[in-house]
Amino acid sequence: MGKRRNVELMVGTFMALGLIALFFLAMHVSNLSLVTGGEGYLLNARFANVGSLKVRSPVTMAGVRIGRVESVRFDKATYEAVVSMRIDAEIDSIPEDTFANIFTSGLLGEQYIGLEPGGSPDYLRDGEEIANTQSALVLEQMIGQFLFKKAGESG
Amino acid sequence: MTSRAPIHEQDARPDQEPFVADPDVLVEIRGLSFRHGSRVILDNLDLDIRRSGVTAVMGPSGTGKTTLLKLITGQLRPDAGSIRVDGEEVTRLDRTALYRLRRRMGMLFQSGALLTDLSVFDNVAYPLREHTDLSPSMRRKLVLLKLEAVGLRGARDLMPSQLSGGMARRVALARAIALDPMMILYDEPFTGQDPISMGMLMALIRQLNDAAGLTSILVSHDVRETSSIADYLFVIHEGRVIACGTPAEIAADRSAWVRQFMDGLPDGPVPFHYPGPSLSDDLHSRASA
Amino acid sequence: MWLDSVAGLGRGVLTALERLGRAHLLLLAILLGVGEVLRRPRLLWEQIYNIGVLSLLIVGVSGLFVGMVLGLQGYYVLSQFGAEQSLGVMVAASLVRELGPVVTALLVAGRAGSALTAEIGLMKATEQLSGLEMMAVDPVRRILTPRFLGGLVAMPMLAAIFSAVGVLGGYFVGVGLLGIDDGAYWSQMRAKIDFEEDVVNGVVKSLVFGVFVTWIALFQGHDTVPTSEGVSRSTTRSVVHSALVVLGLDFVLTALMFGD
């Protein structure tokens, strides 16, 4: 009887340890605590070039993450990239004339969307589109332009 | 000689009321063949085992005696032939029906086959726990009675690793009779036993058989011990019955093979030398190679 | 001469296929017993104890050391790019995605899988399995199914413990010994490690490994040649096959999960 009870105790402890470990991985190691799931609302934006922007890349405002990229599509008609972003539900006051930029964190880091709020009293609602966008800076293009300019100066 | 009943294949459907050829015969085997790969182990074997007696099947090692027990208990399926146990065609029973039949059979394995992580008491209680709804106190009484029958009531708290081979077999015997089966099958019960535990086992097999009105089937190659407790003997060789009768009849059998087996002669129909080229040929060819 | 070798090859393939067939039939028989085991959960607790609790020490200690080594090695590589702030990401990603499930599966195969094979093999060699069958108890459902389920439950738990302890080991080395900023270690990790992509996929991996490691161990034990030599050979084979299958499957699963 004592042995059986011991086994049950040890197994209980083991399962608890395993669940604590899983909880730790979920809440402390991964971004689960930051994800609000499928809640929030969608905003779209068109870019001439999205660079290496990916699904789940962060969407920030004033440097604070307020949402994530939900999808990146190509529009056949306009040859533009259409990005839809899921914005956290509590951020419900993004002005209509907000500016969407694609930035790079650090020189070689990953790309994200930075929103700069405008001054309009009207707010964007679910499914609406951000009109003012600026494309990603592609490093190769920048270097090319730089070299070209240098060559022009020296020549 | 046993009476040979006609074969009624068409009556052997398990859902039908079983057809009993001879109410005196508990196990009826007809035309049984079993192959292991390309090796023929049992070859068109016919055998009848009568109720309430000790029937022994003897033969040299590797003649399929253990296989026969496994076929009777449905652990193996034959390639051909029929096996009826108490009127039920074992070869065609489904899992549930087979398990129901097995509750009425006990089997004593060579090694005892006790569950190594349970005590002696729990081993004997195991089939009762699995198949009955007895109250714990009732179960305890039954287990103690069964252990008393094999003389090991005092060893109930030991673990199987602490038992000698003979004791392990006796515990296994207590476990085999826990559900009061109609028959017990013994697989080589005397192998590797010292004279004392051999004597105990022989006495037990006889006692249990007579006291409980059981049918005992015993498979062995220990001629003397088996002859002394069996009521009826079958001698099988190369998958066939080559002699059968009471121990006295077998002892009087004059065929060369039976004599070699019963008397343990070193040479005879079974040659001392494994077949091969003659010695001089072999030596010569080896030298020239 | 060459005909013989072709025939030999053919025989080898046929034997392997036959074995594979038997293994699948056994798995089916094991799964048919699941309901019965769930009705008697005590059978399951015992096996979670045998597989999980008894492997806990080796898995925990290994996880700690692997995490600490990752911390050291990661620091030296990352500091060359001035990116030692990303140490947490590197340690956690390696552990959660790959090392946690894989190393745990290898350790469990060595610690518990071999023990399972030996146990079942010995039960077969000593006729305990036949004995159960003669007592009208199905040995596959009574003996094998609880062990299979035990492995299935224990493996993801052990992998999670391995990864969690490893992350703490990396923290201890990176933050405690090498002086990386405490906040950077956690926040970078949390920003880059995705719950579904990384943690859930890691758990799925370890579940799959749990199925295969216990399945292989049980099959090798159940299919053993019932002699002491046969049991020892099956035990070796159980560990070798498990290790190969885990590493091979890891490649396939990684390609499927992180492919795009």
Side-chain angles (χ1 to χ4, degrees), chain C residues 77-88:
Chain C
V77 173
L78 291 173
S79 62
Q80 291 178 18
F81 305 103
E84 59 268 36
Q85 306 291 318
S86 301
L87 184 69

Side-chain angles (χ1 to χ4, degrees), chain A residues 4 7-8 10-11 14-15 17-19 21-22 24-34 56 68 110, chain C residues 42 45 48-49 52-53 56 92 96 153-154 157-158 160-161 163-164 168 186 189-190 192-195 199 203:
Chain A
R4 181 178 307 166
V7 166
E8 279 168 1
M10 298 282 265
V11 170
F14 169 73
M15 295 298 281
L17 270 178
L19 291 176
L22 268 176
F24 170 76
L25 290 180
M27 304 311 283
H28 269 265
V29 174
S30 80
N31 56 1
L32 185 66
S33 50
L34 309 173
R56 301 200 61 81
R68 282 188 183 277
E110 79 175 317
Chain C
R42 201 170 58 77
W45 300 149
I48 295 179
Y49 178 82
V53 177
L56 190 56
V96 172
V153 174
M157 295 288 160
L158 288 169
I161 291 171
S163 298
L168 293 176
W186 294 115
M189 188 189 299
R190 220 181 299 184
K192 295 278 169 56
I193 304 292
D194 187 66
F195 179 70
V199 177
V203 171

Side-chain angles (χ1 to χ4, degrees), chain B residues 66 70 73-75 95 98-100 102-103 105-107 109-117 123 126-127 130-131 175 179 185 187, chain C residues 32 36 40 42-43 46-47 50 119 122-143 147:
Chain B
T66 304
K70 288 194 169 172
T73 53
Q75 294 178 66
R95 207 179 142 246
L98 189 60
Y99 275 24
R100 205 182 314 123
R102 280 189 192 154
R103 286 185 214 175
M105 300 174 168
M107 180 154 172
F109 288 87
Q110 259 183 66
S111 55
L114 296 176
L115 296 168
T116 39
D117 50 357
N123 259 293
Y126 196 87
E130 287 296 323
H131 298 303
R175 186 178 67 176
L179 290 173
L185 303 100
D187 185 9
Chain C
L32 283 175
E36 207 170 298
R40 302 176 60 167
R42 201 170 58 77
L43 292 171
E46 280 168 10
Q47 295 317 317
N50 282 341
E119 186 190 11
L122 279 175
M123 286 184 89
K124 185 179 179 189
T126 56
E127 297 176 305
Q128 289 181 55
L129 295 184
S130 304
L132 282 174
E133 210 165 299
M134 277 312 297
M135 285 189 278
V137 173
D138 188 333
V140 171
R141 295 185 183 188
R142 178 55 41 79
I143 304 292
R147 283 161 177 75

Side-chain angles (χ1 to χ4, degrees), chain B residues 4-258:
Chain B
R4 290 278 149 87
I7 302 164
H8 291 268
E9 285 285 331
Q10 65 275 24
D11 292 312
R13 281 185 296 269
D15 51 333
Q16 264 184 3
E17 191 56 36
F19 174 81
V20 182
D22 180 348
D24 242 16
V25 174
L26 182 64
V27 181
E28 183 199 78
I29 296 172
R30 289 290 175 273
L32 187 67
S33 294
F34 184 80
R35 272 186 294 278
H36 185 81
S38 58
R39 209 159 69 89
V40 175
I41 294 180
L42 296 175
D43 180 18
N44 205 11
L45 184 87
D46 291 345
L47 210 150
D48 280 337
I49 289 165
R50 304 186 146 270
R51 285 177 199 274
S52 62
V54 178
T55 305
V57 177
M58 295 202 293
S61 309
T63 42
K65 302 187 301 290
T66 304
T67 307
L68 182 63
L69 288 190
K70 288 194 169 172
L71 285 164
I72 292 175
T73 53
Q75 294 178 66
L76 291 175
R77 300 258 154 167
D79 292 309
S82 83
I83 304 163
R84 283 222 195 124
V85 177
D86 202 22
E88 289 192 81
E89 178 63 50
V90 174
T91 53
R92 293 186 210 171
L93 292 181
D94 62 6
R95 207 179 142 246
T96 330
L98 189 60
Y99 275 24
R100 205 182 314 123
L101 180 64
R102 280 189 192 154
R103 286 185 214 175
R104 301 196 287 145
M105 300 174 168
M107 180 154 172
L108 186 70
F109 288 87
Q110 259 183 66
S111 55
L114 296 176
L115 296 168
T116 39
D117 50 357
L118 295 182
S119 70
V120 165
F121 182 93
D122 286 329
N123 259 293
V124 179
Y126 196 87
L128 296 169
R129 284 212 177 93
E130 287 296 323
H131 298 303
T132 66
D133 302 323
L134 295 174
S135 67
S137 71
M138 191 64 199
R139 197 162 57 207
R140 193 182 116 87
K141 274 177 204 149
L142 258 174
V143 171
L144 291 181
L145 283 175
K146 300 293 174 189
L147 279 172
E148 175 72 21
V150 298
L152 289 175
R153 191 168 39 83
R156 62 174 177 267
D157 293 325
L158 297 182
M159 294 305 281
S161 55
Q162 296 169 289
L163 302 175
S164 71
M167 282 160 83
R169 260 176 234 195
R170 278 150 68 196
V171 174
L173 192 50
R175 186 178 67 176
I177 57 170
L179 290 173
D180 293 319
M182 61 179 176
M183 71 175 191
I184 306 190
L185 303 100
Y186 299 90
D187 185 9
E188 302 282 6
F190 307 124
T191 312
Q193 297 298 308
D194 61 65
I196 299 177
S197 54
M198 185 105 80
M200 286 179 175
L201 278 168
M202 283 167 64
L204 264 178
I205 291 173
R206 197 67 243 183
Q207 265 171 29
L208 286 175
N209 188 79
D210 298 346
L214 289 167
T215 305
S216 307
I217 304 174
L218 198 152
V219 144
S220 176
H221 52 225
D222 295 294
V223 172
R224 229 158 30 87
E225 293 75 18
T226 310
S227 305
S228 70
I229 60 163
D231 298 318
Y232 204 82
L233 292 178
F234 287 90
V235 182
I236 61 173
H237 178 54
E238 287 177 345
R240 288 169 169 280
V241 176
I242 57 163
C244 59
T246 60
E249 283 166 8
I250 297 283
D253 196 299
R254 295 265 52 95
S255 94
W257 197 92
V258 174

Side-chain angles (χ1 to χ4, degrees), chain C residues 100-122:
Chain C
V102 172
V103 178
T104 305
L106 295 179
L107 290 171
V108 170
R111 169 69 184 77
S114 60
L116 279 184
T117 305
E119 186 190 11
I120 305 291
L122 279 175

Side-chain angles (χ1 to χ4, degrees), chain A residues 16-82:
Chain A
L17 270 178
L19 291 176
I20 289 170
L22 268 176
F23 184 76
F24 170 76
L25 290 180
M27 304 311 283
H28 269 265
V29 174
S30 80
N31 56 1
L32 185 66
S33 50
L34 309 173
V35 174
T36 43
E39 289 164 27
Y41 60 99
L42 283 176
L43 291 183
N44 294 322
R46 292 169 174 273
F47 295 91
N49 189 336
V50 288
S52 62
L53 191 75
K54 290 197 185 67
V55 172
R56 301 200 61 81
S57 292
V59 176
T60 65
M61 195 174 247
V64 179
R65 198 195 63 82
I66 58 163
R68 282 188 183 277
V69 172
E70 178 111 338
S71 70
V72 180
R73 287 187 314 278
F74 178 67
D75 184 341
K76 283 203 293 202
T78 61
Y79 304 107
E80 283 176 322
V82 183

